Amino acid sequence: MATIRLGDVAPDFTADSSMGMINLYDYLGDGWGILFSHPADFTPVCTTELGTAAKFKGEFDKRNVKMLALSVDGVASHGEWIKDINETQHTTVNFPIIADDDKKVSTLYDMIHPNANDSLTVRSVYIIAPDKTVKLIITYPASTGRNFHELLRVIDSLQLTAYHKVATPANWENGDRVVISPSINTEDAKKIFTKGVEEIKPYLRMTPQPNL
């Protein structure tokens, strides 16, 4: 079982899902992707998460991010669980849930941690860039539900910093000032970032968000 690290190429796979057979790379196309795993169907925290994810789909769509969930149960089980999710969370699940009853994808993505449980996937999130590299990995314990506002915030940061020579500071939200990359000297930074450069320290320069 390989360990996936940031910057690694996300392993491709073909698997059945609640919406039919899916090949990861074909499904993502030239866009971004978010893959999140669940320990099993009919689990309480994950029921709330999948319902929330469905409500956030419009926000992910705006960012050209395709959503994909995974659980180690089969397609028939997923279908019954989706009915519960739609009923209890007052939504409609509108993205595929991968059926991984043979644990092939879980093994590819190192989603099974024996110290937690040797048969169930941990609750991990992978954000995949258009070049198919993994840009973010977060693993949650079973007792803590994922924060989808934070996942959108991270995607906004990843997409901004992928195309501009900036980084986002602590607690950054879309629209806030950003940090200028240390690889750019201040003289050049003033030419690149025409909205203004504040030099707090030689290594800490701030500028308004460049893509607004």
Side-chain angles (χ1 to χ4, degrees):
M1 186 184 296
T3 299
I4 295 179
R5 293 186 169 88
L6 296 183
D8 287 352
V9 174
D12 195 15
F13 61 81
T14 299
D16 205 359
S17 81
S18 58
M19 294 185 173
M21 294 299 293
I22 283 182
N23 172 265
L24 177 67
Y25 284 12
D26 290 345
Y27 177 71
L28 297 184
D30 59 2
W32 292 69
I34 182 166
L35 170 65
F36 43 105
S37 61
H38 300 272
D41 294 355
F42 305 102
T43 49
V45 173
C46 297
T47 298
T48 67
E49 288 181 328
L50 286 171
T52 300
K55 293 172 185 175
F56 272 67
K57 186 173 184 294
E59 291 299 319
F60 286 107
D61 286 347
K62 281 184 203 172
R63 294 160 173 82
N64 193 26
V65 179
K66 292 274 189 70
M67 302 166 66
L68 193 58
L70 175 145
S71 170
V72 295
D73 291 307
V75 170
S77 176
H78 286 359
E80 292 303 310
W81 187 28
I82 286 169
K83 292 176 189 175
D84 282 3
I85 296 164
N86 292 343
E87 176 195 343
T88 63
Q89 305 305 303
H90 312 293
T91 189
T92 300
V93 173
N94 43 18
F95 54 89
I97 305 175
I98 292 291
D100 194 38
D101 34 358
D102 61 1
K103 299 186 175 63
K104 183 180 81 173
V105 180
S106 305
T107 302
L108 265 182
Y109 279 81
D110 192 25
M111 291 173 176
I112 295 175
H113 293 185
N115 288 344
N117 186 308
D118 62 7
S119 63
L120 300 178
T121 50
V122 292
R123 292 168 50 257
S124 295
V125 178
Y126 303 83
I127 294 177
I128 302 167
D131 66 359
K132 305 300 184 286
T133 58
V134 176
K135 296 298 185 187
L136 175 103
I137 304 169
I138 307 176
T139 300
Y140 291 79
S143 54
T144 302
R146 281 170 266 218
N147 184 327
F148 283 83
H149 293 287
E150 168 64 3
L151 295 177
L152 288 178
R153 189 190 78 90
V154 169
I155 288 165
D156 285 340
S157 172
L158 288 169
Q159 293 185 340
L160 170 67
T161 58
Y163 305 115
H164 299 274
K165 293 182 177 180
V166 295
T168 55
N171 292 340
W172 174 86
E173 298 281 351
N174 201 14
D176 291 350
R177 293 197 309 164
V178 295
V179 174
I180 296 166
S181 171
S183 65
I184 303 171
N185 66 46
T186 299
E187 186 180 331
D188 289 340
K190 288 175 180 175
K191 296 173 188 170
I192 296 168
F193 301 103
T194 54
K195 294 179 183 177
V197 173
E198 180 190 2
E199 183 176 288
I200 299 165
K201 291 285 183 184
Y203 61 87
L204 177 58
R205 289 87 41 86
M206 306 293 292
T207 189
Q209 186 170 321
N211 66 340
L212 294 179

